[in-house]
Amino acid sequence: MRTVTIADVARHAGVAVSTVSYVLSGKRAISATTRQRVLDSVRVLGYHPNAGARALASKRANVIALVLPLRAGMNLPVLMQFATSVVATARQYDHDVLLMTADEGPDGIRRVAASAMVDGLLLMDVEVRDTRVPLLRDLGEPSVLIGFPADAEGLTCVDLDFHQAGALCAAHLAERGHREIALLGAPEVVYERGTGFAERTRAGFLAEATGRGLHAVAVPCEETYDEVASAVKLLFDAHPGLTGLVVHNEAAVGHVLGALRALGRAVPEDVSVVAICPDDIAERARLTSVLIPAEELGREAVRLLMAKLDGLPAGSILLEPRLTIRESTR
Amino acid sequence: MRTVTIADVARHAGVAVSTVSYVLSGKRAISATTRQRVLDSVRVLGYHPNAGARALASKRANVIALVLPLRAGMNLPVLMQFATSVVATARQYDHDVLLMTADEGPDGIRRVAASAMVDGLLLMDVEVRDTRVPLLRDLGEPSVLIGFPADAEGLTCVDLDFHQAGALCAAHLAERGHREIALLGAPEVVYERGTGFAERTRAGFLAEATGRGLHAVAVPCEETYDEVASAVKLLFDAHPGLTGLVVHNEAAVGHVLGALRALGRAVPEDVSVVAICPDDIAERARLTSVLIPAEELGREAVRLLMAKLDGLPAGSILLEPRLTIRESTR
DNA sequence: GTCAGGTGTCGAAGCGCTTCGAAATCATTT
DNA sequence: AAATGATTTCGAAGCGCTTCGACACCTGAC
């Protein structure tokens, strides 16, 4: 069963090879009758263009690389949703997806780029000081990052708008009449690393709360139960009138609820809790939350990458956060 | 920055293009001095072979497709471990991985195979009557399946040996002196679908138990708490002397423990529980368990596929189950 | 000194596709 | 009726690589 080539199609349809190519790519006008004849032959013979040959001749592989941080400890549901969305969206643009793990590091990126195996790259979970970022810059390979590195100048990045997410949570609590609220954030070290999203959430939260004349504080939060409990206790000791809590730390969310219970503060009767975390965690605990829009992230990332492949300029975008109201706020 | 071609390397090293090719592929003997000169040039120029050209000329893409069931409700940790392992192992064989979702279905497989985009396929989560299996058969594309379809004749499959896993659980309980044991399996519909692994576990469990002269029963098990609780209750009503339980249903594991607690049966004091489930679930609940060896599965699957690509015959393999003893059995 | 048989290297022919310039065809205009 | 311009199709030249057959050289045997 020899594979069907474009020459077979051409012969079968009684036209030149180039004509078949033009019918398939639509890059030149072909008369309706010829076009139909060619398409019929394609169908009859079951022709599929050879990817290698096409890539070689056109200098376009029609493949994008998806670089995932496939290490333990990732938020898997988010990652999965994202990957699924990327694959599906890429297919819509007639592209396939090459899966890479972050642990091949910069070399892997250099390799696939230099071998023209992919036309562009999608990097998930970009860190603030990511070693791959400078490489990406001078490699000149079209790419889209999920997350913002320290210096995003000249790069295309997609992320949730954490500033607005923080603000949204503060606003939600304010509208419910809470006057004294707090943000329990990421562990200390995360802020020290200068991780963008933690910092931005905090800024948005404080700005919005202050703007609305609320009394607001933001404190970091470790992830073991004991540390969370003591942080919560300290918070209420210092601010007895606290009635609203925003938790931006998925690992700590459960412990915060436990700690509140231990302190005898009922949710949502005594204190309202808003989480910024993946949907499944919030769903399970019935928490009002701002979710990570993984699917939208994937879709937008691919869209932007495709635009870049077409030579269009593509700026970074921040996705608007959406608050889902559940049972933990009133 | 034009890309470096093999001709550039040849010129730089003062040899013919074919010589460079042979140095790189090792398919013909090249003198040590020439080889070194070529390798130096490769390094100096930063040469990476063009994947498309290579694929076209050699009819080998050096890419394998990984078809994952990226739908909700999958066991994500297992899937992730598996994917990671596949990518890492493939890289060891100098191959890359094209990520596909099962929802492109048979057409997707036909497409990537016909376009010579991949050399072989890895399908995860194969169902008993999988529409892709007949296609795979007559497509003749090298492939390895994770899981066993109804008729595995002529196919290469890799899976945990569920029969032995069931037997292992029964044996473990028998050795601990339990005389009356039960298997809580998958939901009814799963058996009705004829899903292989559920059935095989049950068979192995019953065979081993019976062989050792134990009194054993196997019942299906739904996945909501209420249904699990009533199933557990019915089980103990019918078999008051029951002291050993095997749970082969990851979604129900937690509920089973809850139901036992509700019935006032302590684990492991009154009843020993063995689970067949992913490691993380068992780990969290401190359950003695047989885990799904996702990483090994990925590694073996790639190994088999590579063997097939080299034209070697590759039979199916069943991975030996391993029991991890934790705190739920005595 | 010649010849057989290795080694090591080269040149050229593709692999299947895209794309460019040119040819062929047809419809309009003068 | 010839010339012009559009429209449609063709042919051929690559894209960068692998691989086959051939050539050149060297060794050792006779």
Side-chain angles (χ1 to χ4, degrees), chain A residues 91-163:
Chain A
R91 285 302 306 140
Q92 284 177 18
Y93 288 90
D94 194 31
H95 280 242
D96 278 282
V97 175
L98 196 79
L99 178 64
M100 305 185 59
T101 61
D103 51 56
E104 251 199 285
D107 284 348
I109 292 179
R110 194 175 278 113
R111 183 176 61 83
V112 296
S115 67
M117 195 171 250
V118 302
D119 304 320
L121 298 153
L122 233 50
L123 306 219
M124 194 178 179
D125 206 40
V126 176
E127 288 169 20
V128 179
R129 318 220 162 278
D130 203 301
T131 56
R132 301 167 302 182
V133 168
L135 171 64
L136 238 34
R137 259 214 183 75
D138 65 43
L139 216 52
E141 193 74 2
S143 61
V144 172
L145 315 188
I146 313 303
F148 278 76
D151 175 17
E153 181 62 33
L155 299 174
T156 302
C157 309
V158 183
D159 209 347
L160 177 63
D161 185 340
F162 281 100
H163 185 97

Side-chain angles (χ1 to χ4, degrees), chain B residues 28 30 52 93 103 116 121 136 141 183 207 258:
Chain B
R28 277 198 188 176
I30 298 288
Y93 288 91
D103 51 56
L121 298 153
L136 237 37
E141 192 74 4
L183 168 72

Side-chain angles (χ1 to χ4, degrees), chain B:
Chain B
M1 179 167 118
R2 217 183 92 278
T3 76
V4 182
T5 74
I6 197 173
D8 297 326
V9 176
R11 204 171 309 120
H12 187 271
V15 299
V17 163
S18 53
T19 302
V20 175
S21 178
Y22 286 125
V23 166
L24 261 24
S25 70
K27 294 194 177 174
R28 277 198 188 176
I30 298 288
S31 69
T33 60
T34 307
R35 139 182 263 85
Q36 196 50 57
R37 205 140 37 85
V38 169
L39 291 178
D40 286 346
S41 298
V42 165
R43 190 149 18 75
V44 169
L45 300 180
Y47 169 71
H48 285 268
N50 178 294
R54 184 202 281 262
L56 180 57
S58 69
K59 306 190 169 313
R60 287 281 237 117
N62 274 38
V63 176
I64 62 176
L66 172 60
V67 188
L68 293 182
L70 291 182
R71 44 180 158 70
M74 274 303 297
N75 183 305
L76 297 185
V78 166
L79 203 146
M80 266 304 162
Q81 272 179 270
F82 178 73
T84 309
S85 160
V86 165
V87 171
T89 311
R91 285 302 308 142
Q92 283 176 19
Y93 288 91
D94 193 30
H95 280 243
D96 279 282
V97 175
L98 196 78
L99 177 63
M100 305 184 60
T101 61
D103 51 56
E104 250 200 285
D107 284 348
I109 293 179
R110 194 176 279 113
R111 183 176 62 81
V112 296
S115 66
M117 193 171 251
V118 302
D119 305 322
L121 298 153
L122 234 50
L123 307 218
M124 192 177 180
D125 206 40
V126 176
E127 288 171 16
V128 179
R129 316 219 162 282
D130 204 301
T131 57
R132 302 167 300 183
V133 168
L135 170 65
L136 237 37
R137 261 215 181 76
D138 63 43
L139 215 52
E141 192 74 4
S143 62
V144 172
L145 315 188
I146 313 304
F148 277 77
D151 175 17
E153 181 63 34
L155 299 175
T156 303
C157 309
V158 183
D159 208 348
L160 177 64
D161 186 341
F162 281 100
H163 186 98
Q164 206 184 324
L168 188 58
C169 293
H172 175 69
L173 291 174
E175 280 160 13
R176 302 283 161 132
H178 298 273
R179 308 303 305 157
E180 198 165 348
I181 64 179
L183 168 72
L184 277 168
E188 190 79 51
V189 296
V190 174
Y191 290 96
E192 280 166 8
R193 260 207 316 258
T195 307
F197 72 91
E199 187 51 45
R200 290 198 300 276
T201 304
R202 172 196 188 126
F205 170 79
L206 291 175
E208 181 72 19
T210 309
R212 287 176 178 255
L214 306 200
H215 182 54
V217 293
V219 297
C221 179
E222 305 305 315
E223 307 194 330
T224 69
Y225 178 77
D226 291 343
E227 289 170 303
V228 171
S230 85
V232 170
K233 178 148 193 331
L234 279 173
L235 205 52
F236 279 96
D237 285 349
H239 310 276
L242 209 57
T243 59
L245 220 48
V246 176
V247 184
H248 181 202
N249 183 328
E250 37 187 273
V253 168
H255 297 149
V256 169
L257 296 177
L260 288 173
R261 209 176 304 123
L263 285 176
R265 311 224 171 214
V267 174
E269 291 76 8
D270 303 328
V271 42
S272 285
V273 176
V274 183
I276 301 177
C277 71
D279 227 12
D280 59 316
I281 293 180
E283 182 68 51
R284 204 175 306 139
R286 311 288 319 134
L287 289 171
T288 293
S289 73
V290 171
L291 55 83
I292 313 289
E295 195 191 317
E296 193 181 355
L297 231 37
R299 202 176 337 116
E300 290 303 304
V302 172
R303 209 176 49 71
L304 284 173
L305 186 53
M306 291 300 147
K308 289 185 101 165
L309 295 188
D310 291 343
L312 275 48
S316 295
I317 63 179
L318 286 174
L319 298 184
E320 187 128 343
R322 270 191 293 276
L323 189 80
T324 302
I325 297 176
R326 297 203 182 80
E327 297 161 16
S328 66
T329 52
R330 68 153 55 154

Side-chain angles (χ1 to χ4, degrees), chain A residues 16 18-19 28 30-31 34 59:
Chain A
S18 53
T19 302
R28 278 197 188 178
I30 297 289
S31 69
T34 307
K59 306 190 170 311

Side-chain angles (χ1 to χ4, degrees), chain A residues 152-213:
Chain A
E153 181 62 33
L155 299 174
T156 302
C157 309
V158 183
D159 209 347
L160 177 63
D161 185 340
F162 281 100
H163 185 97
Q164 208 184 322
L168 188 58
C169 294
H172 174 69
L173 291 173
E175 278 159 15
R176 303 279 162 134
H178 297 274
R179 309 303 304 158
E180 199 165 349
I181 64 180
L183 169 73
L184 277 168
E188 190 77 51
V189 295
V190 174
Y191 291 96
E192 280 166 8
R193 260 207 316 257
T195 308
F197 73 91
E199 187 50 45
R200 289 198 301 275
T201 304
R202 171 195 187 128
F205 170 80
L206 292 175
E208 181 72 19
T210 310
R212 287 175 177 254

